[in-house]
Amino acid sequence: MIFETFQNMLKNDERIQFTVTRKGEQLAVLVQPVLQGGLDEKASEAIQSLRAALAMPLYVVTNPQALDADFPRSLADYAEMREDGHNDLKDVMSRIKEAGKQAKTEAAKNNQPDEPAEKSRFEDASHQDESDEKPAEIAVTDKSLF
């Protein structure tokens, strides 16, 4: 049952250090999660708090009889707490990713040039004045300067 709990507690490629130390007539049991990857200094406070919670060890010092009777339940409770932390972290990361997608969408939308409602005749090459198509005829008389 203990090793099934370890398997359920660990995510893929996660590991824990499980240490048992004798202290007189008692045993000290340490279950220490080892988190993968470092934490970015730009990580939000929520992410830092969740990672800190996931890194919290289970530490029990008691006699062997109490460990035999109670340790499996303590480990199961600890595993449940870590699962809740993993779910919370996954939720926060999902919200951050969604916010990033929305920000990119908004930025792309804001960077698009506004389409004019109506093009002017100078922007539309197919629309030209008739005067542009043929040279103007100027009447020359003996009173003109030319």
Side-chain angles (χ1 to χ4, degrees):
M1 177 171 162
I2 290 176
F3 288 97
E4 286 179 23
T5 304
F6 283 151
Q7 182 180 14
N8 293 335
M9 180 175 68
L10 294 172
K11 301 301 175 207
N12 195 34
D13 291 331
E14 278 189 333
R15 66 186 178 105
I16 58 167
Q17 293 177 341
F18 183 71
T19 307
V20 180
T21 306
R22 184 173 179 164
K23 295 193 179 243
E25 295 301 311
Q26 296 187 327
L27 295 176
V29 178
L30 174 67
V31 178
Q32 177 67 58
V34 179
L35 301 180
Q36 298 295 319
L39 186 60
D40 185 357
E41 64 272 356
K42 295 179 184 177
S44 73
E45 213 173 290
I47 291 174
Q48 291 176 17
S49 295
L50 288 169
R51 280 190 53 98
L54 290 172
M56 291 295 295
L58 171 64
Y59 186 66
V60 179
V61 179
T62 191
N63 62 54
Q65 296 79 15
L67 283 171
D68 285 339
D70 299 331
F71 186 74
R73 181 73 244 156
S74 296
L75 184 62
D77 291 344
Y78 176 73
E80 187 177 314
M81 183 271 313
R82 288 197 82 241
E83 182 66 28
D84 291 345
H86 276 291
N87 290 337
D88 291 345
L89 183 60
K90 186 188 297 184
D91 184 50
V92 167
M93 294 303 292
S94 176
R95 284 186 276 149
I96 288 172
K97 286 179 185 178
E98 185 61 34
K101 287 178 187 178
Q102 288 177 352
K104 284 181 183 180
T105 301
E106 286 294 320
K109 188 172 26 170
N110 290 337
N111 287 337
Q112 291 180 347
D114 292 335
E115 296 267 339
E118 194 176 303
K119 290 185 177 184
S120 71
R121 67 183 184 117
F122 299 108
E123 292 175 5
D124 190 2
S126 66
H127 178 72
Q128 296 179 354
D129 268 340
E130 291 178 15
S131 61
D132 291 342
E133 294 179 0
K134 51 186 171 183
E137 295 180 20
I138 301 174
V140 179
T141 64
D142 47 27
K143 292 186 179 178
S144 71
L145 296 174
F146 300 100

